[in-house]
Amino acid sequence: MPPAQELVQLGIVAVAVLLVVFYGGTLLMTLGIGRKQENADGYMTAGNKIGFGISAASMTATWIWASSMYASATAGYTYGISGPIHYGLWGALMILFIYPFGKRIRKVAPRAHTLAEVMYARHGRSSQLMLAGSNVLGSLISLTSNFIAGGALIAMLSPLSFGAGILIIAAGVLLYTLWSGFRASVLTDFAQVVCMLGAAVVVIPVIFFAAGGPAMFEAGVAAGNVTPEQQDFLSSDAFMNQGAPYIAAVLAYAIGNQTIAQRLFAVREDLIKPTFITATIGYGATVIGIGMLGVMALYLGIQPIDGDVNNLIPQMAATYLPWILLALAFLMIIGALSSTADSDLAALSSIVMTDVYGQSVGKDKANPKTMLLVGRLTMIVATGAALFFATSQFNILDLLVFVGALWGCLVFPVIASFYWKKVTNLAFTASVIAALVVFIPVRFEWISLTGVLALPFEVLSTIGIGVVLGIMAFGFFGLRTGVIVGIVGALAAAPITLFYLRDYTVLSASLLAYAVSYLVCSLMSFRSKQRFDFSTIKDVTGDFDPVTPQAGQAETETDGLDDQGGAAAAAARARD
């Protein structure tokens, strides 16, 4: 076993060659989308007819981002063997749980571009702006975390600085995404996810055996590198601090995030289910596997360089991999972060194109060429902003949990708006604002959850558990089962959570967001006399471009690449 801090570096020349090969290759792929075929709708949703192969790969790649890899490794290093399980397993299951809602959203808004656009059709301007604003913030944070991951990687494996690293990553992603938007994102995702999964299959086992194989675990225990709690496969500490907040966060992330919604609107409607199932399996297997690098580092007694847990993955790779496999691991992480970063840019551009420009001038009056210009300028501005924020080098895991919990304020009002005719714009807006007012001071510990004051928050958090369970059951089994599961879940949790949740601020804040938004939205809607006609949504949302041959060519080209996944698509449709 090599000394823990004896790191291999790729060097400036090798890193430069790898980056040129990676970003040059992705740029060449996107150049296949010709200039004459561009249109605003294709730039945002690729014509709503992407096939199984590309859509499944793109959904998987979007979920498996470098930040997920780094966060899973951090969970493994912090909580031991159960850390990656609680991170990857719950995240994967949440992907599966949301697909029934995806089918419903697509049914009522078959040719929409953003969820905020649908909320405009359902409720009006204020609901649209709240959803769009939360997505702009979330995508910026996501973009920032991916730049941080890339900067840390390049700084670790080459003499280049962190600042140079984030600049290179930002320029590379912007280079191939700027011209073709969402189409570039999904086309490159296919190649990126194939390379990423292939590299993971090779890299993780090699590091495991190079670090000592199964014997490392016995040695780690003997050396006192792990606590009894970190050895526990069912660690309650890991579940309360990591797993439970992540369940709430990922459910919200899946419902509220435009990068997921954009793929939902782009994939062929009959392929939504197999797409989500494939992403569930791909995400769970890969992220849990990557997280084991953090577990290995824990048992080996490795200290993260500069005390930064974001360095764990590149540090393990540089310690235990030969040069050629280190280059492979480098490409794997670059692929992971780039696939999500380009999705964030595409999401941000779509929000500004549709919800800021398109809706402000009216769908029928929007100029598609102006929309494309707005989208490209948005990408440039967003890249600059994310670069600025990336210099702060936030903890990636903290960023993910915060964004997910923030979106928790929106989950119930958004889902209810697609099923319940009585939900009004006022109920939607008031419930989200009320949830934010409670969530933010608790999340940042401006309110101390101690003594008698903590009890009302714990009661609300327990209701939040029922809301989360009820939502998951409702998607698959309907309203009656959802209500029963929610009530039973909250009652069953109460003896455990009361006088106990106050010690887990992150989890409490996330659950409060669900509970408050549910209570306010429900109470206000029960009194409503509105009976909304969902069939009107498809008339308000839809294409900005007139129907042209170019749009059809773009779709054909995108579908053509999906021939690579044709057999899998046929099998998936048969299962469906």
Side-chain angles (χ1 to χ4, degrees):
M1 184 171 67
Q5 301 302 322
E6 191 175 293
L7 304 179
V8 174
Q9 281 203 330
L10 294 173
I12 291 179
V13 174
V15 166
V17 170
L18 290 170
L19 289 171
V20 168
V21 168
F22 179 84
Y23 286 119
T26 51
L27 178 61
L28 287 176
M29 290 181 66
T30 62
L31 290 179
I33 305 170
R35 183 172 184 172
K36 292 182 179 180
Q37 296 173 335
E38 69 172 4
N39 60 71
D41 296 311
Y43 197 84
M44 291 186 280
T45 55
N48 310 100
K49 291 184 178 179
I50 290 182
F52 173 75
I54 287 183
S55 65
S58 183
M59 187 70 80
T60 304
T62 300
W63 278 96
I64 306 173
W65 45 335
S67 300
S68 289
M69 293 182 174
Y70 282 35
S72 184
T74 300
Y77 187 78
T78 306
Y79 301 111
I81 189 70
S82 62
I85 304 293
H86 282 302
Y87 187 91
L89 177 63
W90 300 124
L93 288 178
M94 288 305 103
I95 302 173
L96 190 63
F97 273 117
I98 62 162
Y99 97 80
F101 302 119
K103 294 181 71 172
R104 172 64 179 172
I105 293 170
R106 185 65 184 276
K107 182 179 179 181
V108 301
R111 298 189 71 82
H113 307 85
T114 69
L115 267 181
E117 177 190 12
V118 183
M119 284 299 104
Y120 173 76
R122 174 67 177 85
H123 291 306
R125 182 68 70 189
S126 61
S127 302
Q128 178 198 27
L129 292 178
M130 296 184 80
L131 205 59
S134 69
N135 267 289
V136 168
L137 176 63
S139 291
L140 265 180
I141 291 177
S142 171
L143 194 60
T144 298
S145 70
N146 279 290
F147 289 170
I148 291 174
L153 177 70
I154 291 176
M156 177 74 65
L157 300 183
S158 78
L160 294 173
S161 67
F162 172 83
I166 60 174
L167 193 60
I168 291 170
I169 296 299
V173 173
L174 184 63
L175 179 68
Y176 73 84
T177 312
L178 183 65
W179 183 251
S180 299
F182 179 73
R183 290 174 298 180
S185 175
V186 294
L187 287 173
T188 54
D189 279 347
F190 185 86
Q192 289 165 351
V193 79
V194 169
C195 296
M196 189 165 56
L197 296 180
V201 168
V202 175
V203 165
I204 298 170
V206 170
I207 292 179
F208 175 74
F209 287 107
M216 89 173 78
F217 297 113
E218 295 180 5
V221 174
N225 294 334
V226 292
T227 65
E229 187 72 22
Q230 289 171 324
Q231 298 175 51
D232 187 356
F233 191 79
L234 301 174
S235 166
S236 60
D237 188 40
F239 179 74
M240 295 300 291
N241 283 303
Q242 171 70 60
Y246 200 59
I247 291 174
V250 176
L251 178 62
Y253 186 86
I255 293 295
N257 188 351
Q258 171 61 16
T259 62
I260 306 302
Q262 204 162 10
R263 281 151 182 79
L264 174 66
F265 292 126
V267 65
R268 260 178 39 202
E269 197 167 345
D270 60 316
L271 297 177
I272 291 176
K273 181 178 179 179
T275 295
F276 275 77
I277 291 176
T278 304
T280 298
I281 298 171
Y283 173 88
T286 306
V287 170
I288 291 173
I290 292 290
M292 291 302 160
L293 296 178
V295 178
M296 293 181 217
L298 171 68
Y299 277 80
L300 291 165
I302 291 177
Q303 297 299 315
I305 292 179
D306 299 329
D308 187 352
V309 289
N310 294 337
N311 288 329
L312 278 172
I313 291 179
Q315 187 176 346
M316 289 293 288
T319 303
Y320 295 105
L321 290 178
W323 189 91
I324 188 67
L325 290 182
L326 182 59
L328 189 62
F330 178 83
L331 290 176
M332 176 185 74
I333 299 173
I334 292 294
L337 68 90
S338 297
S339 66
T340 307
D342 63 35
S343 300
D344 289 323
L345 288 179
L348 284 164
S349 65
S350 295
I351 290 170
V352 177
M353 291 167 71
T354 301
D355 299 305
V356 177
Y357 170 74
Q359 295 297 344
S360 65
V361 301
K363 187 166 76 71
D364 297 332
K365 296 180 180 178
N367 184 332
K369 290 185 177 179
T370 304
M371 292 188 78
L372 286 168
L373 178 62
V374 168
R376 288 170 180 141
L377 290 175
T378 300
M379 287 191 183
I380 294 172
V381 172
T383 300
L387 276 172
F388 174 76
F389 294 129
T391 56
S392 299
Q393 291 186 258
F394 300 107
N395 182 296
I396 290 174
L397 184 56
D398 288 344
L399 286 178
L400 295 181
V401 173
F402 172 72
V403 173
L406 188 64
W407 274 324
C409 302
L410 288 157
V411 172
F412 182 84
V414 168
I415 291 178
S417 296
F418 281 99
Y419 291 89
W420 196 7
K421 297 180 178 181
K422 298 178 70 173
V423 178
T424 65
N425 187 38
L426 180 60
F428 184 101
T429 305
S431 62
V432 175
I433 292 175
L436 283 171
V437 167
V438 177
F439 162 74
I440 290 177
V442 173
R443 174 62 182 84
F444 292 104
E445 301 184 24
W446 299 341
I447 297 176
S448 178
L449 297 184
T450 56
V452 178
L453 179 63
L455 192 58
F457 289 98
E458 288 175 328
V459 171
L460 284 173
S461 297
T462 305
I463 294 174
I465 293 174
V467 174
V468 172
L469 295 176
I471 288 173
M472 292 192 292
F474 167 71
F476 281 98
F477 306 111
L479 180 60
R480 181 186 297 271
T481 303
V483 170
I484 293 173
V485 169
I487 293 174
V488 171
L491 292 176
I496 303 171
T497 55
L498 300 182
F499 303 101
Y500 183 69
L501 272 179
R502 62 189 65 188
D503 295 330
Y504 298 92
T505 304
V506 175
L507 175 59
S508 296
S510 301
L511 293 173
L512 281 171
Y514 279 91
V516 173
S517 61
Y518 158 75
L519 290 172
V520 175
C521 186
S522 298
L523 291 174
M524 294 184 68
S525 299
F526 272 123
R527 297 174 58 85
S528 167
K529 295 181 180 179
Q530 175 181 273
R531 300 293 184 270
F532 183 78
D533 181 2
F534 289 106
S535 66
T536 61
I537 291 179
K538 66 178 67 175
D539 298 328
V540 179
T541 61
D543 293 345
F544 287 97
D545 290 288
V547 178
T548 62
Q550 285 87 343
Q553 291 168 11
E555 292 167 8
T556 302
E557 185 170 340
T558 311
D559 287 341
L561 282 179
D562 188 48
D563 289 345
Q564 301 167 63
R573 285 195 293 271
R575 288 195 301 274
D576 197 26

